[in-house]
Amino acid sequence: MSWRRALSTAVCMGAFAAGQASAQMQPPPQQQQAPPCVQEFMKLRTDTEKKAIAIRNASARKATPKEACGLFNTYSAAEEKMLKYATDNTVWCGIPQEVVNQIKASHVRTAELRTRICNAAAQAQIAPRGPSLSDALGSPVPDSNNIKTGRGTFDTLSGSALGK
């Protein structure tokens, strides 16, 4: 799986999990204002969504694997922070266990994709590259002193190839 496909898959999964979590965390309609714990959870969810959007934008503009690795690290950290808050405040905030389980599953997938993408970024840095333009220009210029003559069929440096 290419890192770009993994990148777009993770964005979709993260947005899906965050969307489901927000749908289940809606305050009852009779309340005017959500409790502070729900507001804090929503802030964490919004931060995670912003980081998912950054990954989606990077994927659309075909970012380098190194940049994608950094974006996935920040996204994973935000998702982990949201998971920790949801786990710690399940009872106090009334966060359904389904939401916590969805966030956990999403975080596991994110960690797997982050590992793949960061490994691809590391491989891209290690991979040998072909000669650059400066390497090619630094090579000796071919002339009559550094070219072997008389061995080829069309040796035109010493006369006509057809005359031999």
Side-chain angles (χ1 to χ4, degrees), residues 76-153:
S76 180
E79 193 176 46
E80 188 172 351
K81 193 174 181 181
M82 183 174 66
L83 174 62
K84 181 176 178 358
Y85 185 84
T87 303
D88 293 347
N89 297 302
T90 300
V91 176
W92 182 63
C93 286
I95 299 173
Q97 190 60 37
E98 291 176 10
V99 172
V100 175
N101 292 340
Q102 288 172 352
I103 296 171
K104 280 181 186 177
S106 176
H107 186 61
V108 167
R109 288 188 299 262
T110 299
E112 290 172 357
L113 289 171
R114 180 187 63 179
T115 302
R116 287 183 193 165
I117 289 171
C118 291
N119 285 343
Q123 291 298 326
Q125 290 177 351
I126 295 172
R129 297 186 179 157
S132 66
L133 180 60
S134 62
D135 293 337
L137 293 176
S139 299
V141 178
D143 63 8
S144 61
N145 295 329
N146 61 7
I147 295 178
K148 295 180 182 176
T149 61
R151 295 186 182 194
T153 305

Side-chain angles (χ1 to χ4, degrees), residues 37-92:
C37 65
V38 174
Q39 290 176 353
E40 182 64 27
F41 180 78
M42 291 301 173
K43 286 180 189 176
L44 293 171
R45 184 182 61 87
T46 303
D47 182 51
T48 304
E49 285 178 347
K50 285 180 185 177
K51 300 215 177 359
I53 290 170
I55 291 172
R56 185 179 304 133
N57 292 339
S59 175
R61 64 180 162 76
K62 301 188 187 308
T64 63
K66 183 178 179 180
E67 182 183 355
C69 178
L71 290 171
F72 258 95
N73 285 333
T74 58
Y75 175 74
S76 180
E79 193 176 46
E80 188 172 351
K81 193 174 181 181
M82 183 174 66
L83 174 62
K84 181 176 178 358
Y85 185 84
T87 303
D88 293 347
N89 297 302
T90 300
V91 176
W92 182 63

